[in-house]
Amino acid sequence: MLQTYRHKRHKIIVLLISILAWCMLTPPAFSQPDTRVIASTVVEVRINQSNQGLQLRYPTTVRLDQVLQDTLANLNQLPAKVSGQSLYWFGSMLWRSDSITRQVMKEQQSAVILQLQQLAQQVRNKKPETSHSLQILANALSAPLPGQRIIQSLDRDSVRISPDKNPGLNGQFRLQVITRPETVKVFGAFLQPNLEDSKIKLSWQERKNATDYLQQVTSLTISNPDYLWVIQPDGKAEQHNIAYWNRNHKDIAPGATIYLPFTSLPDGYESLNDDIVDLLKQRPY
């Protein structure tokens, strides 16, 4: 009897030790994952459309304000010699540009371009002008993207004062600072005479609205008669009404992109206009 008791007690002790060890090794179901980031941060800075720039390197996460401060401190290393006061922060852009993000954006870009090419082929015989414009738009959107744009104010005062506008950056990024342009770009459902005009630029003028700019191009019959999209330089997309019955004035900033949507799209292309607007947000000016 004594031996049996000792044997049972030994089994119970072994079981308790096993349970205790399992509890120590296994985190509870409600525990939070370890979110500490230890990767370094690299920000490639370019000015305007230059292919040359400089790299800002940090051992770990860095605040946006610090990146902007270091950019200003190293402006003399950029090809174009400008002062900090001459930069157009409202139109400057920041992208996440690690290889995975660039690949995701490339796939999105390729999907939109393929739809444009397929649609151009479908309407080639019945609507040759529309087919031509679709091909030109596909060509204009084919330039490689730096990554995924972070729609974020880059105004230094705003970033420095507001903590929610001063995020931490970790990983690989591209920052494009620009001088203020004196043009706006126009894309979409309007007549384009040749492939060289895939990037139509119109002179910016104060207080001009969307209707004023449309008068400088020839809209296609497949264009939306009621509204168009204006992507302001900070990346925010706005719907501007253009019909006589709903027209209202909205300012358009220098460096904005105007997109005139297509209508009467066939089945399977319902999201094409929205997808194009999303891509236009990502494009360097």
Side-chain angles (χ1 to χ4, degrees):
M1 290 290 293
L2 181 60
Q3 185 177 3
T4 302
Y5 171 75
R6 287 177 177 174
H7 178 69
K8 289 183 177 180
R9 187 178 64 176
H10 176 73
K11 289 180 66 176
I12 292 173
I13 292 173
V14 170
L15 179 61
L16 289 173
I17 292 174
S18 299
I19 293 173
L20 180 61
W22 181 85
C23 290
M24 293 176 64
L25 294 173
T26 305
F30 54 82
S31 67
Q32 297 296 321
D34 187 353
T35 57
R36 289 175 296 175
V37 180
I38 58 174
S40 61
T41 300
V42 179
V43 182
E44 182 181 0
V45 181
R46 297 187 184 183
I47 186 165
N48 295 330
Q49 292 296 328
S50 174
N51 292 323
Q52 299 178 352
L54 63 93
Q55 285 192 342
L56 302 176
R57 295 181 175 272
Y58 306 91
T60 183
T61 300
V62 60
R63 290 289 175 182
L64 176 59
D65 177 48
Q66 185 65 53
V67 172
L68 300 181
Q69 180 178 326
D70 293 341
T71 297
L72 290 173
N74 291 277
L75 277 179
N76 61 335
Q77 297 185 41
L78 294 173
K81 305 304 179 185
V82 296
S83 67
Q85 290 72 27
S86 300
L87 293 178
Y88 186 52
W89 291 108
F90 186 57
S92 296
M93 299 183 177
L94 177 68
W95 295 268
R96 180 173 291 280
S97 63
D98 58 90
S99 58
I100 295 177
T101 302
R102 291 199 308 271
Q103 181 61 33
V104 169
M105 296 308 302
K106 182 178 180 181
E107 292 172 1
Q108 293 181 12
Q109 185 180 21
S110 297
V112 172
I113 292 171
L114 179 60
Q115 279 204 315
L116 286 169
Q117 293 171 338
Q118 291 174 338
L119 188 56
Q121 185 68 20
Q122 289 182 28
V123 302
R124 184 179 61 177
N125 294 328
K126 292 183 178 180
K127 298 180 178 179
E129 292 180 345
T130 298
S131 176
H132 184 64
S133 293
L134 289 166
Q135 290 173 344
I136 289 177
L137 183 55
N139 182 64
L141 295 175
S142 64
L145 295 171
Q148 183 178 38
R149 186 177 182 183
I150 300 172
I151 307 300
Q152 153 81 44
S153 172
L154 297 181
D155 178 77
R156 280 210 65 213
D157 291 334
S158 176
V159 169
R160 185 169 55 247
I161 294 172
S162 304
D164 60 326
K165 296 181 180 179
N166 188 21
L169 306 180
N170 188 268
Q172 292 179 290
F173 298 85
R174 167 85 67 83
L175 172 64
Q176 183 196 40
V177 294
I178 67 172
T179 53
R180 191 179 113 152
E182 295 301 328
T183 57
V184 297
K185 288 182 179 179
V186 183
F187 294 87
F190 58 90
L191 182 64
Q192 301 204 41
N194 54 64
L195 285 173
E196 294 179 357
D197 290 332
S198 61
K199 298 178 182 178
I200 297 292
K201 288 186 178 182
L202 303 176
S203 296
W204 175 83
Q205 293 185 25
E206 189 174 2
R207 298 297 295 170
K208 265 195 174 183
N209 59 28
T211 305
D212 296 326
Y213 287 110
L214 277 187
Q215 292 175 353
Q216 301 181 53
V217 299
T218 303
S219 302
L220 296 171
T221 56
I222 197 175
S223 65
N224 191 310
D226 296 328
Y227 68 87
L228 50 71
W229 289 100
V230 173
I231 302 163
Q232 299 287 12
D234 63 352
K236 295 178 182 177
E238 302 172 350
Q239 182 175 303
H240 288 216
N241 297 327
I242 56 175
Y244 72 90
W245 56 270
N246 68 354
R247 191 176 304 168
N248 59 339
H249 179 86
K250 289 185 179 180
D251 288 334
I252 298 175
T257 297
I258 297 173
Y259 174 66
L260 182 58
F262 296 89
T263 58
S264 305
L265 294 173
D267 293 342
Y269 295 87
E270 294 87 354
S271 67
L272 182 58
N273 285 311
D274 291 338
D275 294 339
I276 291 172
V277 170
D278 286 339
L279 277 187
L280 291 174
K281 292 179 184 178
Q282 309 293 328
R283 289 172 55 87
Y285 192 79

